[in-house]
Amino acid sequence: MKLGAQLYTIREFCKTPEDLDASLAKIAGIGYKYVQLSGFSYDAASVKRRCDELGLSIILTHNSADRLINDTDRLIEDHRIMNCPNIGIGGFFGDRTPEGVRKFLSDCRPAMEKIAAAGMKFQYHNHGFEFEKFDGVTLFDILKNESDPELMGFTLDTYWVQYGGVCIVDLVNSLRGRINVFHFKDMAMTPEGQHFAPIGEGNLSWETIIPAFAQAGAEYGFVEQDNTYGADPFDCLGKSYNYLAGKL
């Protein structure tokens, strides 16, 4: 399994081309070889050129539903330029009902088909709300069971699966063959409640979670920390890298 950095963690340091260049250099300096682009704007050719200089490969992106549905051809072309095989969406943000999820899948299907025809894969990233039940069926059940496995994979986010009250290992086992990429994200308990944490500083059981992802066919795991609570996000990514480097 290959270890990458989800650049959403450092999104505040990627707001200009110059800052993005410097931030990518810091990511490479930590030791990461793979990145996901998310949470900021970029020019595909420029970011690919900089990543090539630093020995970084772009494996996954997150994009808005509007661009996915209405700008599919240019989105695919950008990914060709970046040699990026996975086109992702950060989540479903429409009507959070079974009907809303089914409409989302229907609206996205033409884009998914174009992405597949281009030799790429569409990846859905979960949060916690997908695990709300409606008559015993979760929204995630609908996403999983009513989508085409050949067209849609899942970027499982470990923090949000845990937040949703679901056993991470059981869910990973149920998605074998549909998880090529996932998010390493730890959960710590504090007096204020659940917090994001560097990997290894929270309470998730990586000794069982990592083998489950490997057995499910995951090739890339991207470290992400949505909030570092005042700590340097590059330091947090470094702590996670050091914890995981000897475990993969």
Side-chain angles (χ1 to χ4, degrees):
M1 190 185 299
K2 300 169 184 176
L3 181 59
Q6 212 299 39
L7 300 190
Y8 184 80
T9 308
I10 58 166
R11 59 197 179 278
E12 296 301 321
F13 299 85
C14 300
K15 291 186 174 181
T16 69
E18 295 77 16
D19 287 345
L20 176 56
D21 283 357
S23 293
L24 287 168
K26 289 183 179 181
I27 292 299
I30 292 170
Y32 290 103
K33 300 296 184 186
Y34 308 95
V35 294
Q36 175 185 344
L37 306 183
S38 177
F40 55 88
S41 300
Y42 55 86
D43 173 73
S46 297
V47 74
K48 176 64 164 63
R49 183 166 53 251
R50 183 58 171 151
C51 284
D52 285 348
E53 292 170 354
L54 296 166
L56 295 170
S57 297
I58 304 165
I59 302 300
L60 173 65
T61 64
H62 274 172
N63 307 274
S64 68
D66 178 68
R67 188 169 190 214
L68 175 73
I69 294 168
N70 298 312
D71 196 25
T72 313
D73 292 339
R74 284 197 295 177
L75 182 63
I76 290 170
E77 181 57 27
D78 278 352
H79 284 70
R80 283 201 182 100
I81 291 169
M82 296 186 295
N83 196 28
C84 178
N86 296 289
I87 299 178
I89 191 169
F92 160 69
F93 301 108
D95 178 21
R96 295 178 178 181
T97 64
E99 294 75 19
V101 171
R102 291 185 175 106
K103 183 178 187 303
F104 166 79
L105 290 174
S106 176
D107 289 346
C108 291
R109 186 174 178 96
M112 294 184 204
E113 291 174 344
K114 283 188 174 183
I115 290 167
M120 301 169 188
K121 188 74 177 230
F122 173 68
Q123 306 284 356
Y124 180 91
H125 168 270
N126 68 281
H127 289 84
F129 68 83
E130 291 94 341
F131 300 103
E132 181 181 356
K133 285 186 175 180
F134 293 79
D135 296 325
V137 177
T138 69
L139 298 180
F140 193 91
D141 290 332
I142 296 171
L143 287 165
K144 178 179 71 171
N145 297 329
E146 299 186 24
S147 60
D148 187 336
E150 297 301 315
L151 299 180
M152 189 170 98
F154 289 93
T155 302
L156 277 194
D157 184 302
T158 55
Y159 180 99
W160 290 117
V161 174
Q162 182 79 10
Y163 185 91
V166 175
C167 174
I168 297 169
V169 171
D170 286 350
L171 185 60
V172 171
N173 288 339
S174 76
L175 288 166
R176 290 191 178 193
R178 297 189 73 175
I179 306 174
N180 182 48
V181 292
F182 70 95
H183 283 172
F184 277 114
K185 192 183 294 184
D186 215 339
M187 176 185 284
M189 183 55 66
T190 74
E192 293 77 33
Q194 297 106 322
H195 270 201
F196 304 103
I199 308 303
E201 294 188 9
N203 294 323
L204 296 192
S205 177
W206 299 110
E207 292 76 12
T208 58
I209 293 169
I210 292 172
F213 274 112
Q215 292 164 15
E219 187 176 359
Y220 298 94
F222 290 94
V223 173
E224 181 180 27
Q225 191 172 338
D226 297 23
N227 192 333
T228 61
Y229 311 101
D232 186 319
F234 294 97
D235 289 345
C236 292
L237 286 174
K239 288 179 180 179
S240 294
Y241 180 89
N242 291 335
Y243 177 84
L244 289 167
K247 295 182 179 295
L248 301 181

